[in-house]
Amino acid sequence: MATTAELFEEPFVADEYIERLVWRTPGGGSRGGPEAFDPKRLLEEFVNHIQELQIMDERIQRKVEKLEQQCQKEAKEFAKKVQELQKSNQIKEAADIIQKLHLIAQELPFDRFSEVKSKIASKYHDLECQLIQEFTSAQRRGEISRMREVAAVLLHFKGYSHCVDVYIKQCQEGAYLRSDIFEDAAILCQRVNKQVGDIFSNPETVLAKLIQNVFEIKLQSFVKDQLEECRKSDAEQYLKSLYDLYTRTTNLSSKLMEFNLGTDKQTFLSKLIKSIFISYLENYIEVETGYLKSRSAMILQRYYDSKNHQKRSIGTGGIQDLKERIRQRTNLPLGPSIDTHGETFLSQEVVVNLLQETKQAFERCHRLSDPSDLPRNAFRIFTILVEFLCIEHIDYALETGLAGIPSSDSRNANLYFLDVVQQANTIFHLFDKQFNDHLMPLISSSPKLSECLQKKKEIIEQMEMKLDTGIDRTLNCMIGQMKHILAAEQKKTDFKPEDENNVLIQYTNACVKVCAYVRKQVEKIKNSMDGKNVDTVLMELGVRFHRLIYEHLQQYSYSCMGGMLAICDVAEYRKCAKDFKIPLVLHLFDTLHALCNLLVVAPDNLKQVCSGEQLANLDKNILHSFVQLRADYRSARLARHFS
């Protein structure tokens, strides 16, 4: 085929073509040529060449037919496009004409030109409907350029707003397919924001209208369906749903803020949110506080029921106030002591549940309250927390704990009030943390701040007063218990043994038991309190402990060996006092130990010992009182040396 193609030359002459073919064929030359003329071979070459030409002709014919079909198709498409452009132009021309006629008709008197005006109005309406229909079809086909052309024509028609409505309606078809309507709305607005500028000359107005449509129809209907179902039947679910829906709506609003929606988009979006939730937010705080009260009461009641405990009435008013004042001034237990069986009636689980409910209420309050109402609403929630946590739970436990403290002369008394102190301190820390973390940010810049701080101060002072009273009475019980131990275990013969030469013990049994009891109580105080409170209480206990031992030692008469035993006892008491880690307490026992030396020192050395560093500053009456405890005090020699 390639050889055949080479034989063609322009312009084509058949005789010359055959001549060139013969010349190239072996045996096709004249008789006088280098090769003999071979007619059979030449005939064979002609037959083959004709077949090649036929095949070439068929291929060329097919190619021609294909090109003709393509040309016809392009011609039709071009004609269609020209027709559409012509039609489009006639639409624009017709629209321009009818628009001008419509304006002119407005100026014509109705009585003379009623028929003309009616025809113009009818044509105006028909053309407007055709344009809107064309816009609708173009939108369904996804033809942005055609939509832009039709929208530009409709811009001067009354039905332009209807064109926008059609666009907004069709944009939302199939847009809400996910389970999250807020995410669907965000994606829809992002998609429309990318194309609306290519269609309309006022894209920000169209986008704002779409957003308004989404909020006022789709979201409002969704919110209503979610909230109305549980509004009256389930306050907890209602508040959670309201908070969740409002939060998701405001989050959607924040995403939409990045779009161009006109001048004041913040106000625009805020009004849309308000239009959805206004009926729910108007009485939000009433629902919140009502639910919080009932929920808190249920938490407390469930706890007391689990303890099989019927809350007793603490009482308020004149009689109770009078009892409280008497108790604070006299430290006397008023009324019968109650056996709490070691129960503090304080529960960290209850406290955590109450604080968690209040925390959620503060969070909802922050989100759902109008800024002008926020401090007042937050204060209402705080007062509920004070009522149920501080008064109904902590204060009740303190009152019950106070009533459970036995009198100071009770034997083998179980002192559980320190457990109450320990748990109350933990709860105070949790209460204070919530006050600072969740309430303060809501009221910090309002007059309610001082009101909340004052209320908190009053509550804490009231409870600290009861804690102080309870601790004081507990310390009295501890001292009373030590008195019982000393009275039961200390014998007069301990310090004035019958056989001075047969004393083998290092300290008395009473001392051993008292020290064991004191160490146990010191450890309990350290575990029950923190910070400076530990030192304050231990100092008070240490001072009373010293006074008890001091007065106890004053009851006996001491022989020389008995005095040595007393010194050994006081040394053990002093070792016990070191556990307090309070300098004053240790100093008191150091001084007491020095005083006990007066019980055994030789008469000639009394004045020297009394003028020593530890005793020099003591009143002489104190020194004399200890010297008088010596069994040999009445001897003339001792009296003479001490005088």
Side-chain angles (χ1 to χ4, degrees):
M1 292 297 291
T3 303
T4 301
E6 291 175 358
L7 296 174
F8 287 97
E9 291 183 357
E10 293 294 342
F12 178 76
V13 179
D15 292 341
E16 293 180 359
Y17 177 79
I18 294 173
E19 185 65 29
R20 287 194 297 274
L21 178 62
V22 170
W23 183 259
R24 292 167 62 103
T25 304
S30 62
R31 292 176 181 269
E35 295 185 14
F37 178 72
D38 189 348
K40 290 184 179 180
R41 191 171 182 179
L42 185 60
L43 176 62
E44 183 181 347
E45 181 66 24
F46 277 173
V47 171
N48 291 335
H49 197 73
I50 289 170
Q51 290 177 349
E52 290 180 359
L53 288 174
Q54 288 175 340
I55 293 172
M56 181 184 292
D57 180 64
E58 290 174 0
R59 289 184 177 178
I60 292 173
Q61 188 61 37
R62 286 197 298 269
K63 187 174 182 180
V64 168
E65 290 175 357
K66 184 176 181 180
L67 290 173
E68 286 178 347
Q69 290 175 358
Q70 184 176 351
C71 183
Q72 289 174 1
K73 181 180 178 181
E74 290 179 354
K76 288 180 180 179
E77 290 178 352
F78 180 76
K80 183 180 179 182
K81 189 172 183 179
V82 170
Q83 186 179 7
E84 288 178 352
L85 290 172
Q86 289 175 342
K87 183 180 177 182
S88 173
N89 190 51
Q90 293 170 356
I91 288 174
K92 290 179 181 178
E93 290 177 356
D96 185 56
I97 292 171
I98 198 66
Q99 175 68 18
K100 290 178 179 177
L101 287 174
H102 181 72
L103 293 174
I104 293 171
Q106 303 301 313
E107 305 297 327
L108 297 176
F110 181 79
D111 54 348
R112 293 175 55 192
F113 300 97
S114 59
E115 184 177 353
V116 175
K117 293 180 67 151
S118 176
K119 289 182 179 179
I120 293 174
S122 176
K123 187 64 178 177
Y124 181 94
H125 179 265
D126 291 343
L127 184 58
E128 190 176 62
C129 291
Q130 291 174 18
L131 287 170
I132 291 173
Q133 183 59 45
E134 176 62 21
F135 182 89
T136 303
S137 301
Q139 185 176 1
R140 286 176 177 161
R141 295 192 302 268
E143 297 178 0
I144 300 297
S145 60
R146 183 61 180 153
M147 292 168 67
R148 179 174 60 251
E149 292 173 357
V150 177
V153 175
L154 276 168
L155 181 62
H156 304 292
F157 279 75
K158 293 180 179 179
Y160 178 73
S161 61
H162 187 53
C163 170
V164 174
D165 293 339
V166 168
Y167 174 75
I168 289 173
K169 180 181 178 182
Q170 293 196 161
C171 280
Q172 296 182 75
E173 291 178 358
Y176 305 101
L177 300 177
R178 299 172 184 79
S179 58
D180 188 346
I181 189 175
F182 297 92
E183 185 64 23
D184 285 337
I187 293 173
L188 168 65
C189 293
Q190 289 170 352
R191 174 168 57 83
V192 171
N193 181 62
K194 292 178 180 178
Q195 71 172 207
V196 70
D198 296 332
I199 301 173
F200 297 98
S201 59
N202 56 338
E204 67 282 353
T205 304
V206 177
L207 183 58
K209 193 168 185 179
L210 167 67
I211 292 172
Q212 183 176 357
N213 184 274
V214 169
F215 272 71
E216 293 182 348
I217 297 177
K218 203 69 182 180
L219 294 186
Q220 187 157 13
S221 175
F222 178 77
V223 168
K224 183 177 181 181
D225 291 342
Q226 295 291 310
L227 294 180
E228 291 298 331
E229 183 178 348
C230 57
R231 189 173 189 176
K232 296 180 179 179
S233 59
D234 189 343
E236 179 181 13
Q237 186 58 47
Y238 171 75
L239 288 169
K240 288 181 178 178
S241 297
L242 177 59
Y243 176 78
D244 177 65
L245 291 169
Y246 191 84
T247 299
R248 292 163 72 189
T249 305
T250 53
N251 289 342
L252 173 61
S253 175
S254 298
K255 292 179 182 178
L256 301 180
M257 280 292 291
E258 65 186 55
F259 303 144
N260 181 12
L261 303 177
T263 53
D264 193 355
K265 53 187 174 183
Q266 177 68 57
T267 303
F268 169 70
L269 291 170
S270 297
K271 286 182 178 179
L272 291 178
I273 295 174
K274 186 176 182 180
S275 67
I276 294 176
F277 291 97
I278 186 169
S279 63
Y280 307 107
L281 298 182
E282 284 178 338
N283 68 333
Y284 149 72
I285 194 60
E286 303 302 329
V287 179
E288 183 72 81
T289 53
Y291 165 73
L292 187 58
K293 285 180 180 179
S294 63
R295 178 67 176 171
S296 300
M298 186 198 74
I299 291 172
L300 289 178
Q301 190 59 49
R302 188 169 56 192
Y303 167 71
Y304 295 120
D305 288 346
S306 70
K307 299 292 182 182
N308 293 320
H309 176 72
Q310 180 67 40
K311 283 187 74 175
R312 64 191 186 91
S313 176
I314 299 299
T316 57
I319 296 178
Q320 182 64 22
D321 292 343
L322 178 60
K323 285 184 176 181
E324 186 62 30
R325 286 197 297 271
I326 294 173
R327 182 168 62 189
Q328 291 170 10
R329 294 182 181 181
T330 64
N331 199 24
L332 293 174
L334 301 178
S337 176
I338 297 175
D339 188 357
T340 61
H341 303 287
E343 179 60 61
T344 64
F345 292 107
L346 285 173
S347 166
Q348 193 158 340
E349 180 182 357
V350 167
V351 173
V352 169
N353 288 338
L354 290 174
L355 291 176
Q356 181 64 21
E357 292 290 343
T358 310
K359 175 187 174 184
Q360 293 173 356
F362 280 136
E363 290 173 349
R364 289 191 291 263
C365 176
H366 190 194
R367 175 72 70 177
L368 301 175
S369 295
D370 186 273
S372 61
D373 296 330
L374 178 58
R376 182 168 58 255
N377 291 349
F379 179 74
R380 290 181 65 178
I381 293 173
F382 173 64
T383 58
I384 295 173
L385 176 64
V386 168
E387 177 185 354
F388 287 93
L389 175 62
C390 298
I391 298 175
E392 292 295 329
H393 191 55
I394 305 177
D395 190 66
Y396 177 77
L398 293 180
E399 286 287 348
T400 305
L402 285 171
I405 299 175
S407 62
S408 59
D409 58 352
S410 299
R411 294 177 179 270
N412 301 317
N414 290 319
L415 304 177
Y416 296 114
F417 192 79
L418 289 180
D419 295 331
V420 176
V421 174
Q422 179 185 14
Q423 294 185 42
N425 281 333
T426 301
I427 295 171
F428 280 151
H429 288 310
L430 295 174
F431 172 74
D432 194 54
K433 178 172 173 48
Q434 181 162 100
F435 184 92
N436 294 326
D437 293 350
H438 298 287
L439 176 60
M440 284 292 287
L442 309 185
I443 60 171
S444 57
S445 57
S446 78
K448 285 293 178 182
L449 173 61
S450 59
E451 195 172 346
C452 287
L453 289 172
Q454 180 61 30
K455 192 171 188 66
K456 175 189 171 187
K457 180 172 178 286
E458 291 172 356
I459 286 293
I460 291 180
E461 286 179 351
Q462 177 184 344
M463 293 186 179
E464 284 181 344
M465 190 177 298
K466 293 181 180 181
L467 286 171
D468 290 344
T469 301
I471 291 171
D472 188 59
R473 289 170 55 189
T474 299
L475 294 181
N476 284 342
C477 287
M478 291 179 183
I479 298 301
Q481 191 67 21
M482 295 180 212
K483 285 182 179 179
H484 286 304
I485 295 173
L486 290 172
E489 301 295 333
Q490 198 83 73
K491 307 293 190 295
K492 288 188 177 182
T493 55
D494 288 343
F495 302 119
K496 201 173 181 181
E498 296 178 358
D499 187 355
E500 292 279 327
N501 298 319
N502 195 25
V503 179
L504 300 178
I505 60 174
Q506 295 179 339
Y507 30 75
T508 66
N509 191 49
C511 174
V512 173
K513 291 192 174 182
V514 167
C515 287
Y517 179 81
V518 170
R519 287 191 173 97
K520 183 178 178 181
Q521 303 312 312
V522 169
E523 188 64 27
K524 194 165 189 179
I525 290 172
K526 288 181 178 179
N527 292 334
S528 301
M529 301 175 196
D530 54 13
K532 295 181 179 179
N533 292 331
V534 177
D535 293 344
T536 302
V537 175
L538 286 179
M539 180 184 295
E540 185 62 29
L541 176 62
V543 170
R544 297 186 191 188
F545 174 38
H546 167 266
R547 186 185 305 123
L548 171 67
I549 300 303
Y550 178 90
E551 293 175 352
H552 174 71
L553 293 174
Q554 294 279 331
Q555 300 174 27
Y556 299 92
S557 176
Y558 300 85
S559 65
C560 182
M561 185 53 66
M564 292 299 295
L565 266 178
I567 291 174
C568 290
D569 275 5
V570 173
E572 192 64 21
Y573 291 136
R574 182 174 62 177
K575 189 186 299 182
C576 183
K578 287 183 179 179
D579 295 341
F580 286 60
K581 296 182 180 179
I582 304 296
L584 173 62
V585 176
L586 185 58
H587 172 71
L588 289 173
F589 278 93
D590 284 341
T591 304
L592 182 59
H593 187 267
L595 283 170
C596 287
N597 286 329
L598 298 178
L599 301 175
V600 298
V601 69
D604 294 341
N605 295 330
L606 272 175
K607 284 190 176 181
Q608 181 183 351
V609 173
C610 288
S611 60
E613 181 180 352
Q614 289 184 310
L615 301 180
N617 294 325
L618 291 182
D619 188 280
K620 283 189 176 183
N621 292 326
I622 295 176
L623 300 176
H624 192 205
S625 67
F626 264 81
V627 173
Q628 287 178 319
L629 299 177
R630 293 171 61 127
D632 60 354
Y633 172 72
R634 303 221 175 254
S635 70
R637 183 183 172 203
L638 183 62
R640 183 177 65 253
H641 278 288
F642 191 74
S643 59

